[in-house]
Structure formats: C-alpha cells, structure tokens
Amino acid sequence: MSGRSVDLTMWGDFCNREGSQLQEMVERGVFPVLGVKTGRVNDFNGKCVGTISSSQLLIDPDLSEAHTLRQWFDGGGRDASTQSISRDHTPAASRNEVRTTVAKIKDDGLGMGDKPDWVTVKASIIFFKSDNFCYTACPTKEGDRQCNKKVTKGTSGLWVCDKCDKEFPECDYRYLLQLQIQDHSGTTWVTAFQETAQELLGCSALELITYKENGDPRFAETMLSCLFKDYLLRLKVKEETYSDERRVKNTLVKVERFEPAAESRYLLDLLSRSVASY
C-alpha cells in the first residue's frame, strides 16, 4: 500500500514447500498475501528479504493487516504502479564499487595496507572444504551479544567454554566455511562466516552438521547446489598473522546471485565512462 515492492528469496526447503504452493497459486491467477516472519533483511545495492532456517512464511494469514492489504489489492491496488526497493538503479561504478578479478587481488597487493580493501569479484564457487565447515560455539549471551567462542567437550560430557568458565549440555554450531572461487583469471581461497555462509547455503550450520552426521543426502545436495554458478562476491581483503606468518585473507561479506540484466547495465555504464574519458 506504500507503492513499494521488495524481492524475497527463498532458500532450501522453503522452495519446495511454500515456494511451490505460491507458484501454483499465482499460475492459477490467485495472488495470495504473504507474511514473512524472522526474515533476513539485506541492504547491499538495495534492500531485499531472504529466508533463514528459523523463518516462517504465512500464506493468506488470518490477520487484520492481511485483510486490509487484500481489500486494497482487490479494490485496484493490483494495478497501482510500484517502485522496487530491492534494486539500486544507480550504476555500480557510480557507487564507488571496486570491481576486480581474482588474479588482481594478488597482483595489486590488496590487503597489505593498514586498512582492509573491499572489492567485488564475479566468480564461481568450485570447491568447499566439507570436513570442517563449522565449529562448536558457546551459547552464552552477554546482554545482546553471544559469546560464540569455541567450546570443547569435557570429561563430564558437557561442553566447556574457557572464556566464560561455564559448562553446557548443548552447544551452538557456527559456520567457518572455506571455499575456493574461480574466475577467468585464476583461483583463490575465501572464508565465509556465520551469516554469509548461511545465506549462501540456505540452511543453518546445525542443520548441515546434522545432515552430515546422519548420512542424509541433503548434505551433499546442499553443497553441490552452490557449485559452478556465477555470483557477485563482496570480499574483505586484509593481511593477517598466523603462527608468525603473514598472509592475505579473503573474507566473504556479501554474496549475490549473478543477474545478467544487472551485469549488462554495469558493463554499459563502464563502457560509457571509458569512452567519455578519451
């Protein structure tokens, strides 16, 4: 009713459950009201909503807000013009986005300064380290912040956090995902932490480790579903020290599925700027 629209991306089982139901309804000419609870809001290049493992999708919910929206839509709202808040129509180059290639991250010495470099690469994921993709984490909360330090199982059979000096019967599982990406110029390793890895894989670390431990085929299916597809990967590049050895670390901070139309706009704008500079 505000004259705005937003993109919603469904991940994992949501596609086969609510996604299939919604598709069938729309194909029949039925336009349901959709309520999204515990969705994740992303605001890179415009706002969009994505599902996470705890999300709930409510189709035609029995809520006063849904009834009001239905009356507006059926009363002429369906024909109203809307503007998407999910697409920033400003060309990428004018947003100071630094687009580079995998090879140039090393060739240009990125990440070697006092501050990290932030770049975007168009690349495919070609390999995951599936043995150690997550770690056991402390579930203790201090105010609004969770400890998240690594915990180990003690002799008592409980999980122990050395930082909090506490024991727990259950722990959390958080992503620490190592993946290899490739573009036309080469390959490199990238680390994806909790939120970004979950956005990429479409399920929580607990769900994925449960699949693996139970021999569930969904473990392999989840991993394979992301391979050899084009993405726009936003990377934080910074030199760090490991065991007295300094090396550059690439951290994945944002992942976007490749959209040919948006990429065409980016390339056309880049071309026009190049021509104008001569």
Side-chain angles (χ1 to χ4, degrees):
M1 295 169 64
S2 66
R4 300 291 186 269
S5 66
V6 67
D7 289 351
L8 169 69
T9 301
M10 301 180 195
W11 299 88
D13 291 339
F14 288 104
C15 300
N16 297 323
R17 296 196 311 261
E18 292 87 349
S20 296
Q21 184 179 351
L22 289 167
Q23 181 179 3
E24 181 182 349
M25 295 175 74
V26 172
E27 288 176 348
R28 297 201 320 265
V30 179
F31 303 102
V33 173
L34 179 64
V36 183
K37 186 176 182 180
T38 321
R40 184 183 180 206
V41 179
N42 299 312
D43 57 3
F44 184 71
N45 295 350
K47 292 187 180 295
C48 60
V49 182
T51 60
I52 58 177
S53 59
S54 57
S55 297
Q56 295 182 44
L57 300 182
L58 310 174
I59 300 175
D60 284 329
D62 187 14
L63 301 171
S64 60
E65 294 89 344
H67 298 320
T68 301
L69 181 59
R70 167 57 61 196
Q71 291 174 0
W72 169 82
F73 185 82
D74 292 343
R78 72 170 68 197
D79 300 319
S81 61
T82 60
Q83 179 179 347
S84 174
I85 65 172
S86 298
R87 300 177 182 87
D88 186 345
H89 295 287
T90 305
S94 64
R95 296 194 301 266
N96 296 321
E97 174 183 305
V98 179
R99 181 75 74 89
T100 190
T101 64
V102 168
K104 285 180 68 64
I105 293 176
K106 181 179 180 180
D107 295 344
D108 292 348
L110 299 184
M112 305 294 285
D114 295 333
K115 296 182 179 180
D117 288 304
W118 303 83
V119 297
T120 298
V121 298
K122 174 179 168 288
S124 299
I125 299 169
I126 61 172
F127 182 75
F128 287 105
K129 286 188 177 180
S130 58
D131 293 335
N132 300 303
F133 59 85
C134 66
Y135 70 95
T136 50
C138 175
T140 300
K141 284 191 175 182
E142 300 175 0
D144 294 332
R145 300 188 63 181
Q146 189 166 319
C147 173
N148 290 332
K149 292 294 184 181
K150 183 177 174 61
V151 296
T152 56
K153 186 165 285 190
T155 55
S156 63
L158 299 175
W159 295 98
V160 180
C161 177
D162 292 334
K163 179 187 176 184
C164 299
D165 194 24
K166 293 180 180 179
E167 294 183 335
F168 315 93
E170 300 290 340
C171 68
D172 281 348
Y173 290 86
R174 294 184 65 82
Y175 279 116
L176 184 58
L177 186 63
Q178 303 292 327
L179 51 111
Q180 192 175 32
I181 65 172
Q182 180 181 47
D183 68 1
H184 66 281
S185 68
T187 63
T188 192
W189 285 97
V190 171
T191 301
F193 291 100
Q194 177 71 0
E195 288 78 10
T196 311
Q198 182 163 308
E199 182 179 358
L200 175 65
L201 296 173
C203 66
S204 68
L206 175 58
E207 288 177 297
L208 197 59
I209 193 70
T210 302
Y211 293 160
K212 182 179 180 181
E213 292 176 347
N214 294 338
D216 192 316
R218 283 179 290 182
F219 173 72
E221 291 170 0
T222 300
M223 291 292 200
L224 292 173
S225 67
C226 298
L227 295 182
F228 307 109
K229 295 179 180 178
D230 287 336
Y231 294 93
L232 289 179
L233 306 173
R234 177 77 165 168
L235 303 178
K236 173 187 174 184
V237 184
K238 185 72 178 74
E239 186 183 49
E240 298 183 359
T241 302
Y242 301 87
S243 303
D244 297 326
E245 178 185 353
R246 298 187 66 81
R247 57 183 176 180
V248 174
K249 179 179 181 180
N250 304 312
T251 302
L252 182 62
V253 296
K254 174 65 181 176
V255 57
E256 289 187 67
R257 295 183 182 275
F258 176 72
E259 294 186 6
E263 182 70 4
S264 296
R265 289 194 297 271
Y266 167 78
L267 293 174
L268 286 171
D269 180 72
L270 188 65
L271 180 61
S272 65
R273 287 171 178 268
S274 299
V275 172
S277 65
Y278 282 99

